[in-house]
Structures are given as C-alpha cells and as structure tokens.
Amino acid sequence: MIDGLDVYDTYGIIFERGVFNELLKFPSRKEVFSQSWKDQDGTVRYVNNPHFESVEMNLQFVLIGQNITDYLNKLNAFRNKMLTSGYFNFDSIKLNMRFTLLYKSMQQITHLTRLSNNKVASRFVVTLIDDFPTNHPNLQ
C-alpha cells in the first residue's frame, strides 16, 4: 500500500521477487569520531550514540492495465504520485511494517507487452530512499 491505497487497485502494480530483501536491508553505520593513538594498538571509537546512513532500495514492479488506455492512465497516476509526493508511506502488510520513503529514480522500463485478454504490462525498477532506516513501526 502507498499512502493507504492498494497499489494493484490504484496503479495496477504487482511486486516482483526481491522486494522483501530490499525493504529489510540493514543501513550502513555513519562514520563516528575515532582516534588512532601512535602509542596504542587499535583505534578508539566513540560509538555510544550510533547513527545510520539512508538506505537506497531498488524495487521491481510490473504494471498491468486492462488495455493500452488503462495502462497509460495507471502509469501516469503512478508517475504523478512519485514525482509530486515527497515522502510517502509504504506499508508492507506481509511484514506488518511501515516505511517512509522518497522517490529517487526509475530505470530499466521494458517495452509494453500484450498479455491475454488484451491486457498490457511492462516491468520497471524504481529506486526509493529510506531516510529513516531505524524507524519502521508496525501497522497496527
């Protein structure tokens, strides 16, 4: 769900394999103040209050329309949502988690493919940014 809207009903989007892997990636730790004394072994690191980098994730989507017009309408609605919304809530029902994400880019869109019953589909990858990698509350 994106901002409370079912992504299939609203945009005709289904997720391909690997979405959970991307959503559950651990963030990288930000550099901490450290001191390497010449007269001591190792390094002294100040890690009492760790902070983490934003996480970039590449989510693979399939967008399906009932026909070419429906496909283009759904693609444009999704495009407008990504380009105009700033941060949005991405809810994973299966993980029972909410992610606050930001759109970065879209790449690797495939050409339109005609499916059975005149349905039209394409695949693409969207890069999203999680600027709050330690804050994924439960949906309840």
Side-chain angles (χ1 to χ4, degrees), residues 11-49:
Y11 307 112
I13 288 176
I14 57 175
F15 300 103
E16 294 211 277
R17 290 183 182 200
V19 170
F20 294 141
N21 296 346
E22 290 292 304
L23 290 172
L24 296 174
K25 282 197 294 194
F26 284 17
S28 297
R29 184 187 293 264
K30 287 188 175 185
E31 288 296 319
V32 297
F33 178 74
S34 63
Q35 182 66 45
S36 180
W37 300 100
K38 292 184 187 255
D39 62 343
Q40 296 178 8
D41 292 335
T43 303
V44 177
R45 300 179 196 277
Y46 300 90
V47 296
N48 291 341
N49 190 13

mmCIF file of all heavy atoms in Angstrom, residues 11-49:
data_model
loop_
_atom_site.group_PDB
_atom_site.id
_atom_site.type_symbol
_atom_site.label_atom_id
_atom_site.label_comp_id
_atom_site.label_asym_id
_atom_site.label_seq_id
_atom_site.Cartn_x
_atom_site.Cartn_y
_atom_site.Cartn_z
ATOM 1 N N TYR A 11 -2.858 1.485 -9.078
ATOM 2 C CA TYR A 11 -1.859 1.670 -10.135
ATOM 3 C C TYR A 11 -1.650 0.430 -11.004
ATOM 4 O O TYR A 11 -0.845 0.478 -11.933
ATOM 5 C CB TYR A 11 -0.508 2.066 -9.523
ATOM 6 C CG TYR A 11 -0.589 3.260 -8.606
ATOM 7 C CD1 TYR A 11 -0.388 3.130 -7.237
ATOM 8 C CD2 TYR A 11 -0.873 4.532 -9.107
ATOM 9 C CE1 TYR A 11 -0.454 4.220 -6.392
ATOM 10 C CE2 TYR A 11 -0.945 5.627 -8.262
ATOM 11 C CZ TYR A 11 -0.732 5.463 -6.909
ATOM 12 O OH TYR A 11 -0.802 6.551 -6.073
ATOM 13 N N GLY A 12 -2.311 -0.674 -10.702
ATOM 14 C CA GLY A 12 -2.107 -1.898 -11.471
ATOM 15 C C GLY A 12 -0.751 -2.525 -11.226
ATOM 16 O O GLY A 12 -0.240 -3.258 -12.069
ATOM 17 N N ILE A 13 -0.150 -2.249 -10.074
ATOM 18 C CA ILE A 13 1.216 -2.691 -9.796
ATOM 19 C C ILE A 13 1.224 -3.948 -8.935
ATOM 20 O O ILE A 13 0.505 -4.050 -7.946
ATOM 21 C CB ILE A 13 2.004 -1.566 -9.088
ATOM 22 C CG1 ILE A 13 2.306 -0.452 -10.091
ATOM 23 C CG2 ILE A 13 3.278 -2.090 -8.452
ATOM 24 C CD1 ILE A 13 2.991 0.737 -9.475
ATOM 25 N N ILE A 14 2.078 -4.892 -9.362
ATOM 26 C CA ILE A 14 2.421 -6.032 -8.527
ATOM 27 C C ILE A 14 3.940 -6.007 -8.357
ATOM 28 O O ILE A 14 4.667 -5.467 -9.197
ATOM 29 C CB ILE A 14 1.938 -7.376 -9.110
ATOM 30 C CG1 ILE A 14 2.496 -7.604 -10.516
ATOM 31 C CG2 ILE A 14 0.429 -7.442 -9.118
ATOM 32 C CD1 ILE A 14 2.157 -8.973 -11.082
ATOM 33 N N PHE A 15 4.416 -6.576 -7.256
ATOM 34 C CA PHE A 15 5.842 -6.576 -6.960
ATOM 35 C C PHE A 15 6.474 -7.874 -7.415
ATOM 36 O O PHE A 15 5.897 -8.937 -7.254
ATOM 37 C CB PHE A 15 6.078 -6.398 -5.455
ATOM 38 C CG PHE A 15 5.511 -5.123 -4.925
ATOM 39 C CD1 PHE A 15 4.331 -5.122 -4.200
ATOM 40 C CD2 PHE A 15 6.143 -3.919 -5.163
ATOM 41 C CE1 PHE A 15 3.800 -3.947 -3.712
ATOM 42 C CE2 PHE A 15 5.616 -2.736 -4.674
ATOM 43 C CZ PHE A 15 4.450 -2.750 -3.951
ATOM 44 N N GLU A 16 7.674 -7.763 -7.943
ATOM 45 C CA GLU A 16 8.411 -8.955 -8.329
ATOM 46 C C GLU A 16 9.246 -9.437 -7.151
ATOM 47 O O GLU A 16 9.334 -8.778 -6.117
ATOM 48 C CB GLU A 16 9.291 -8.649 -9.534
ATOM 49 C CG GLU A 16 8.458 -8.336 -10.778
ATOM 50 C CD GLU A 16 9.141 -8.755 -12.035
ATOM 51 O OE1 GLU A 16 9.985 -8.000 -12.543
ATOM 52 O OE2 GLU A 16 8.801 -9.849 -12.514
ATOM 53 N N ARG A 17 9.889 -10.563 -7.335
ATOM 54 C CA ARG A 17 10.734 -11.134 -6.275
ATOM 55 C C ARG A 17 11.813 -10.139 -5.863
ATOM 56 O O ARG A 17 12.291 -9.350 -6.663
ATOM 57 C CB ARG A 17 11.411 -12.400 -6.771
ATOM 58 C CG ARG A 17 10.454 -13.517 -6.964
ATOM 59 C CD ARG A 17 11.166 -14.753 -7.386
ATOM 60 N NE ARG A 17 10.178 -15.798 -7.605
ATOM 61 C CZ ARG A 17 10.459 -17.066 -7.619
ATOM 62 N NH1 ARG A 17 11.697 -17.459 -7.448
ATOM 63 N NH2 ARG A 17 9.517 -17.952 -7.817
ATOM 64 N N GLY A 18 12.192 -10.239 -4.603
ATOM 65 C CA GLY A 18 13.283 -9.418 -4.104
ATOM 66 C C GLY A 18 12.848 -8.178 -3.350
ATOM 67 O O GLY A 18 13.681 -7.478 -2.788
ATOM 68 N N VAL A 19 11.563 -7.878 -3.324
ATOM 69 C CA VAL A 19 11.088 -6.674 -2.640
ATOM 70 C C VAL A 19 11.385 -6.750 -1.145
ATOM 71 O O VAL A 19 11.888 -5.791 -0.551
ATOM 72 C CB VAL A 19 9.589 -6.433 -2.904
ATOM 73 C CG1 VAL A 19 9.043 -5.340 -2.006
ATOM 74 C CG2 VAL A 19 9.365 -6.057 -4.357
ATOM 75 N N PHE A 20 11.121 -7.894 -0.522
ATOM 76 C CA PHE A 20 11.389 -8.029 0.912
ATOM 77 C C PHE A 20 12.880 -7.904 1.202
ATOM 78 O O PHE A 20 13.284 -7.316 2.200
ATOM 79 C CB PHE A 20 10.847 -9.334 1.468
ATOM 80 C CG PHE A 20 9.350 -9.433 1.434
ATOM 81 C CD1 PHE A 20 8.729 -10.622 1.122
ATOM 82 C CD2 PHE A 20 8.553 -8.335 1.721
ATOM 83 C CE1 PHE A 20 7.343 -10.718 1.102
ATOM 84 C CE2 PHE A 20 7.173 -8.421 1.703
ATOM 85 C CZ PHE A 20 6.568 -9.614 1.388
ATOM 86 N N ASN A 21 13.717 -8.462 0.332
ATOM 87 C CA ASN A 21 15.166 -8.341 0.518
ATOM 88 C C ASN A 21 15.582 -6.878 0.551
ATOM 89 O O ASN A 21 16.422 -6.480 1.359
ATOM 90 C CB ASN A 21 15.925 -9.049 -0.601
ATOM 91 C CG ASN A 21 15.682 -10.539 -0.622
ATOM 92 O OD1 ASN A 21 15.165 -11.114 0.329
ATOM 93 N ND2 ASN A 21 16.037 -11.174 -1.714
ATOM 94 N N GLU A 22 15.010 -6.086 -0.323
ATOM 95 C CA GLU A 22 15.354 -4.665 -0.382
ATOM 96 C C GLU A 22 14.817 -3.921 0.838
ATOM 97 O O GLU A 22 15.510 -3.093 1.418
ATOM 98 C CB GLU A 22 14.812 -4.037 -1.667
ATOM 99 C CG GLU A 22 15.521 -4.498 -2.924
ATOM 100 C CD GLU A 22 16.952 -4.002 -2.998
ATOM 101 O OE1 GLU A 22 17.170 -2.773 -2.918
ATOM 102 O OE2 GLU A 22 17.862 -4.834 -3.133
ATOM 103 N N LEU A 23 13.579 -4.202 1.215
ATOM 104 C CA LEU A 23 12.983 -3.499 2.347
ATOM 105 C C LEU A 23 13.702 -3.809 3.663
ATOM 106 O O LEU A 23 13.759 -2.957 4.552
ATOM 107 C CB LEU A 23 11.502 -3.871 2.491
ATOM 108 C CG LEU A 23 10.559 -3.350 1.417
ATOM 109 C CD1 LEU A 23 9.176 -3.956 1.593
ATOM 110 C CD2 LEU A 23 10.487 -1.831 1.445
ATOM 111 N N LEU A 24 14.253 -5.005 3.786
ATOM 112 C CA LEU A 24 14.855 -5.432 5.046
ATOM 113 C C LEU A 24 16.370 -5.248 5.103
ATOM 114 O O LEU A 24 17.011 -5.694 6.060
ATOM 115 C CB LEU A 24 14.494 -6.891 5.317
ATOM 116 C CG LEU A 24 12.994 -7.151 5.524
ATOM 117 C CD1 LEU A 24 12.720 -8.641 5.650
ATOM 118 C CD2 LEU A 24 12.467 -6.394 6.729
ATOM 119 N N LYS A 25 16.945 -4.572 4.113
ATOM 120 C CA LYS A 25 18.388 -4.316 4.127
ATOM 121 C C LYS A 25 18.772 -3.492 5.355
ATOM 122 O O LYS A 25 18.070 -2.550 5.713
ATOM 123 C CB LYS A 25 18.823 -3.520 2.887
ATOM 124 C CG LYS A 25 18.933 -4.313 1.644
ATOM 125 C CD LYS A 25 19.736 -3.616 0.561
ATOM 126 C CE LYS A 25 19.127 -2.369 0.023
ATOM 127 N NZ LYS A 25 19.757 -1.926 -1.230
ATOM 128 N N PHE A 26 19.875 -3.855 5.980
ATOM 129 C CA PHE A 26 20.388 -3.076 7.110
ATOM 130 C C PHE A 26 21.057 -1.806 6.588
ATOM 131 O O PHE A 26 21.730 -1.836 5.555
ATOM 132 C CB PHE A 26 21.429 -3.881 7.881
ATOM 133 C CG PHE A 26 20.875 -4.963 8.773
ATOM 134 C CD1 PHE A 26 19.580 -5.443 8.633
ATOM 135 C CD2 PHE A 26 21.653 -5.512 9.757
ATOM 136 C CE1 PHE A 26 19.087 -6.439 9.458
ATOM 137 C CE2 PHE A 26 21.181 -6.517 10.589
ATOM 138 C CZ PHE A 26 19.892 -6.969 10.434
ATOM 139 N N PRO A 27 20.932 -0.714 7.322
ATOM 140 C CA PRO A 27 21.630 0.514 6.919
ATOM 141 C C PRO A 27 23.109 0.446 7.303
ATOM 142 O O PRO A 27 23.494 -0.297 8.206
ATOM 143 C CB PRO A 27 20.918 1.599 7.729
ATOM 144 C CG PRO A 27 20.449 0.897 8.960
ATOM 145 C CD PRO A 27 20.102 -0.508 8.508
ATOM 146 N N SER A 28 23.910 1.247 6.616
ATOM 147 C CA SER A 28 25.330 1.380 6.978
ATOM 148 C C SER A 28 25.457 2.363 8.134
ATOM 149 O O SER A 28 24.743 3.363 8.191
ATOM 150 C CB SER A 28 26.135 1.902 5.790
ATOM 151 O OG SER A 28 26.086 0.987 4.728
ATOM 152 N N ARG A 29 26.379 2.066 9.026
ATOM 153 C CA ARG A 29 26.636 2.959 10.153
ATOM 154 C C ARG A 29 27.389 4.185 9.650
ATOM 155 O O ARG A 29 28.295 4.087 8.824
ATOM 156 C CB ARG A 29 27.474 2.242 11.208
ATOM 157 C CG ARG A 29 27.716 3.070 12.462
ATOM 158 C CD ARG A 29 28.685 2.372 13.407
ATOM 159 N NE ARG A 29 28.157 1.161 13.984
ATOM 160 C CZ ARG A 29 27.576 1.114 15.184
ATOM 161 N NH1 ARG A 29 27.469 2.191 15.917
ATOM 162 N NH2 ARG A 29 27.111 -0.027 15.644
ATOM 163 N N LYS A 30 26.987 5.355 10.124
ATOM 164 C CA LYS A 30 27.712 6.579 9.787
ATOM 165 C C LYS A 30 29.060 6.561 10.488
ATOM 166 O O LYS A 30 29.216 5.956 11.544
ATOM 167 C CB LYS A 30 26.923 7.824 10.215
ATOM 168 C CG LYS A 30 25.729 8.099 9.342
ATOM 169 C CD LYS A 30 25.101 9.429 9.692
ATOM 170 C CE LYS A 30 23.980 9.742 8.706
ATOM 171 N NZ LYS A 30 23.429 11.075 8.952
ATOM 172 N N GLU A 31 30.009 7.232 9.859
ATOM 173 C CA GLU A 31 31.330 7.332 10.464
ATOM 174 C C GLU A 31 31.223 7.978 11.842
ATOM 175 O O GLU A 31 30.449 8.915 12.028
ATOM 176 C CB GLU A 31 32.255 8.156 9.572
ATOM 177 C CG GLU A 31 32.681 7.436 8.311
ATOM 178 C CD GLU A 31 33.526 6.202 8.587
ATOM 179 O OE1 GLU A 31 34.403 6.260 9.473
ATOM 180 O OE2 GLU A 31 33.293 5.185 7.924
ATOM 181 N N VAL A 32 31.993 7.476 12.784
ATOM 182 C CA VAL A 32 31.999 8.014 14.142
ATOM 183 C C VAL A 32 33.351 8.665 14.408
ATOM 184 O O VAL A 32 34.336 8.405 13.710
ATOM 185 C CB VAL A 32 31.731 6.910 15.194
ATOM 186 C CG1 VAL A 32 30.350 6.319 15.003
ATOM 187 C CG2 VAL A 32 32.784 5.821 15.137
ATOM 188 N N PHE A 33 33.374 9.505 15.413
ATOM 189 C CA PHE A 33 34.636 10.102 15.821
ATOM 190 C C PHE A 33 35.537 8.996 16.329
ATOM 191 O O PHE A 33 35.122 8.143 17.113
ATOM 192 C CB PHE A 33 34.399 11.163 16.904
ATOM 193 C CG PHE A 33 35.669 11.781 17.395
ATOM 194 C CD1 PHE A 33 36.362 12.688 16.611
ATOM 195 C CD2 PHE A 33 36.183 11.430 18.628
ATOM 196 C CE1 PHE A 33 37.544 13.248 17.053
ATOM 197 C CE2 PHE A 33 37.367 11.976 19.088
ATOM 198 C CZ PHE A 33 38.043 12.895 18.292
ATOM 199 N N SER A 34 36.770 9.003 15.877
ATOM 200 C CA SER A 34 37.712 7.987 16.317
ATOM 201 C C SER A 34 39.102 8.605 16.469
ATOM 202 O O SER A 34 39.395 9.653 15.891
ATOM 203 C CB SER A 34 37.751 6.817 15.330
ATOM 204 O OG SER A 34 38.206 7.253 14.072
ATOM 205 N N GLN A 35 39.921 7.927 17.234
ATOM 206 C CA GLN A 35 41.288 8.395 17.464
ATOM 207 C C GLN A 35 42.215 7.195 17.392
ATOM 208 O O GLN A 35 41.970 6.176 18.036
ATOM 209 C CB GLN A 35 41.406 9.072 18.831
ATOM 210 C CG GLN A 35 42.767 9.622 19.138
ATOM 211 C CD GLN A 35 43.147 10.775 18.230
ATOM 212 O OE1 GLN A 35 42.350 11.670 17.988
ATOM 213 N NE2 GLN A 35 44.354 10.739 17.714
ATOM 214 N N SER A 36 43.253 7.304 16.602
ATOM 215 C CA SER A 36 44.252 6.249 16.495
ATOM 216 C C SER A 36 45.546 6.781 17.100
ATOM 217 O O SER A 36 46.285 7.537 16.458
ATOM 218 C CB SER A 36 44.457 5.858 15.035
ATOM 219 O OG SER A 36 45.421 4.842 14.932
ATOM 220 N N TRP A 37 45.791 6.410 18.337
ATOM 221 C CA TRP A 37 46.983 6.870 19.044
ATOM 222 C C TRP A 37 48.201 6.079 18.586
ATOM 223 O O TRP A 37 48.144 4.855 18.465
ATOM 224 C CB TRP A 37 46.796 6.719 20.551
ATOM 225 C CG TRP A 37 45.635 7.504 21.088
ATOM 226 C CD1 TRP A 37 44.399 7.033 21.383
ATOM 227 C CD2 TRP A 37 45.613 8.901 21.371
ATOM 228 N NE1 TRP A 37 43.583 8.040 21.828
ATOM 229 C CE2 TRP A 37 44.313 9.215 21.832
ATOM 230 C CE3 TRP A 37 46.541 9.934 21.275
ATOM 231 C CZ2 TRP A 37 43.935 10.492 22.205
ATOM 232 C CZ3 TRP A 37 46.161 11.217 21.652
ATOM 233 C CH2 TRP A 37 44.883 11.481 22.112
ATOM 234 N N LYS A 38 49.299 6.765 18.342
ATOM 235 C CA LYS A 38 50.519 6.107 17.868
ATOM 236 C C LYS A 38 51.115 5.159 18.914
ATOM 237 O O LYS A 38 51.766 4.182 18.564
ATOM 238 C CB LYS A 38 51.563 7.158 17.463
ATOM 239 C CG LYS A 38 51.158 7.928 16.233
ATOM 240 C CD LYS A 38 52.252 8.878 15.806
ATOM 241 C CE LYS A 38 51.748 9.757 14.684
ATOM 242 N NZ LYS A 38 52.258 9.399 13.409
ATOM 243 N N ASP A 39 50.883 5.450 20.187
ATOM 244 C CA ASP A 39 51.479 4.625 21.235
ATOM 245 C C ASP A 39 50.523 3.552 21.775
ATOM 246 O O ASP A 39 50.786 2.940 22.806
ATOM 247 C CB ASP A 39 51.979 5.512 22.377
ATOM 248 C CG ASP A 39 50.869 6.297 23.050
ATOM 249 O OD1 ASP A 39 49.780 6.404 22.440
ATOM 250 O OD2 ASP A 39 51.083 6.791 24.166
ATOM 251 N N GLN A 40 49.379 3.325 21.057
ATOM 252 C CA GLN A 40 48.424 2.306 21.482
ATOM 253 C C GLN A 40 48.015 1.454 20.283
ATOM 254 O O GLN A 40 47.988 1.937 19.147
ATOM 255 C CB GLN A 40 47.176 2.954 22.089
ATOM 256 C CG GLN A 40 47.419 3.725 23.355
ATOM 257 C CD GLN A 40 46.145 4.381 23.879
ATOM 258 O OE1 GLN A 40 45.054 4.125 23.367
ATOM 259 N NE2 GLN A 40 46.281 5.210 24.896
ATOM 260 N N ASP A 41 47.674 0.204 20.557
ATOM 261 C CA ASP A 41 47.175 -0.662 19.495
ATOM 262 C C ASP A 41 45.725 -0.304 19.171
ATOM 263 O O ASP A 41 44.976 0.147 20.040
ATOM 264 C CB ASP A 41 47.228 -2.130 19.938
ATOM 265 C CG ASP A 41 48.654 -2.642 20.075
ATOM 266 O OD1 ASP A 41 49.550 -2.093 19.406
ATOM 267 O OD2 ASP A 41 48.851 -3.596 20.860
ATOM 268 N N GLY A 42 45.338 -0.532 17.945
ATOM 269 C CA GLY A 42 43.943 -0.355 17.543
ATOM 270 C C GLY A 42 43.524 1.098 17.453
ATOM 271 O O GLY A 42 44.345 2.004 17.351
ATOM 272 N N THR A 43 42.222 1.298 17.502
ATOM 273 C CA THR A 43 41.619 2.612 17.363
ATOM 274 C C THR A 43 40.558 2.774 18.438
ATOM 275 O O THR A 43 39.803 1.839 18.714
ATOM 276 C CB THR A 43 40.954 2.762 15.970
ATOM 277 O OG1 THR A 43 41.949 2.516 14.978
ATOM 278 C CG2 THR A 43 40.357 4.134 15.767
ATOM 279 N N VAL A 44 40.482 3.945 19.024
ATOM 280 C CA VAL A 44 39.427 4.256 19.981
ATOM 281 C C VAL A 44 38.273 4.863 19.195
ATOM 282 O O VAL A 44 38.432 5.860 18.493
ATOM 283 C CB VAL A 44 39.923 5.257 21.054
ATOM 284 C CG1 VAL A 44 38.782 5.625 21.995
ATOM 285 C CG2 VAL A 44 41.095 4.677 21.826
ATOM 286 N N ARG A 45 37.097 4.238 19.278
ATOM 287 C CA ARG A 45 35.916 4.727 18.553
ATOM 288 C C ARG A 45 34.829 5.084 19.557
ATOM 289 O O ARG A 45 34.604 4.369 20.509
ATOM 290 C CB ARG A 45 35.388 3.669 17.593
ATOM 291 C CG ARG A 45 36.396 3.267 16.551
ATOM 292 C CD ARG A 45 35.846 2.183 15.628
ATOM 293 N NE ARG A 45 36.902 1.560 14.890
ATOM 294 C CZ ARG A 45 37.428 2.035 13.765
ATOM 295 N NH1 ARG A 45 36.949 3.146 13.254
ATOM 296 N NH2 ARG A 45 38.399 1.406 13.148
ATOM 297 N N TYR A 46 34.156 6.182 19.286
ATOM 298 C CA TYR A 46 33.098 6.657 20.166
ATOM 299 C C TYR A 46 31.758 6.242 19.558
ATOM 300 O O TYR A 46 31.267 6.878 18.633
ATOM 301 C CB TYR A 46 33.212 8.167 20.360
ATOM 302 C CG TYR A 46 34.547 8.530 20.969
ATOM 303 C CD1 TYR A 46 35.650 8.814 20.182
ATOM 304 C CD2 TYR A 46 34.708 8.521 22.346
ATOM 305 C CE1 TYR A 46 36.871 9.110 20.746
ATOM 306 C CE2 TYR A 46 35.931 8.811 22.929
ATOM 307 C CZ TYR A 46 37.019 9.101 22.117
ATOM 308 O OH TYR A 46 38.228 9.386 22.690
ATOM 309 N N VAL A 47 31.190 5.141 20.061
ATOM 310 C CA VAL A 47 30.018 4.517 19.437
ATOM 311 C C VAL A 47 28.804 4.479 20.353
ATOM 312 O O VAL A 47 27.884 3.697 20.125
ATOM 313 C CB VAL A 47 30.349 3.081 18.957
ATOM 314 C CG1 VAL A 47 31.392 3.101 17.860
ATOM 315 C CG2 VAL A 47 30.807 2.216 20.122
ATOM 316 N N ASN A 48 28.772 5.320 21.365
ATOM 317 C CA ASN A 48 27.660 5.292 22.312
ATOM 318 C C ASN A 48 26.331 5.690 21.705
ATOM 319 O O ASN A 48 25.285 5.249 22.155
ATOM 320 C CB ASN A 48 27.960 6.195 23.513
ATOM 321 C CG ASN A 48 29.077 5.630 24.363
ATOM 322 O OD1 ASN A 48 29.386 4.447 24.271
ATOM 323 N ND2 ASN A 48 29.686 6.467 25.173
ATOM 324 N N ASN A 49 26.328 6.534 20.710
ATOM 325 C CA ASN A 49 25.088 7.014 20.108
ATOM 326 C C ASN A 49 25.174 6.839 18.587
ATOM 327 O O ASN A 49 25.397 7.802 17.863
ATOM 328 C CB ASN A 49 24.870 8.492 20.492
ATOM 329 C CG ASN A 49 23.496 8.974 20.110
ATOM 330 O OD1 ASN A 49 22.621 8.185 19.787
ATOM 331 N ND2 ASN A 49 23.318 10.281 20.130
#
